[in-house]
Amino acid sequence: RACPVRLKLKKGDTYYYCTCGHSKNDPFCDNTHIDLGTGFMPLKVVIDRDQSNFLWCACKRNKPSAGPICDGNHNYITDW
């Protein structure tokens, strides 16, 4: 999946962002990484404000400093 996922998230809620890319509930972690032994761990995200247009990365190519937020890095990937 190359496009970001548009989410409506509420202030104070906690989510676990999938970093391995194997979750069936992407972009949220479903613990598939445990069964697959990927070595990846989910990223805990606490929402600090209500917003209806969070764009979370689905390609898993965002820079680590961006967290789950799509940083557009997928536009520069040539090895799809």
Side-chain angles (χ1 to χ4, degrees), residues 1-4 55 57-63 70-80:
R1 194 176 206 188
C3 297
L55 293 176
C57 176
C59 72
K60 311 305 178 196
R61 301 290 186 104
N62 53 327
K63 295 177 185 148
C70 178
D71 63 4
N73 199 42
H74 60 270
N75 290 316
Y76 306 102
I77 304 299
T78 59
D79 65 346
W80 290 106

Side-chain angles (χ1 to χ4, degrees), residues 10-12 20 26 30 34-35 46 50-51 54 59-60 69-72 75-77 79:
K10 292 183 178 183
K11 180 180 179 179
C20 75
D26 196 40
D30 66 0
I34 295 170
D35 295 335
V46 179
D50 288 337
Q51 194 175 57
F54 278 101
C59 72
K60 311 305 178 196
I69 305 299
C70 178
D71 63 4
N75 290 316
Y76 306 102
I77 304 299
D79 65 346

Side-chain angles (χ1 to χ4, degrees), residues 6 12 14 19 21-22 27 29 31 34 38 51 55 59 63 67-68 71:
R6 187 176 307 275
T14 300
T19 60
H22 294 284
C29 178
N31 290 320
I34 295 170
T38 64
Q51 194 175 57
L55 293 176
C59 72
K63 295 177 185 148
D71 63 4

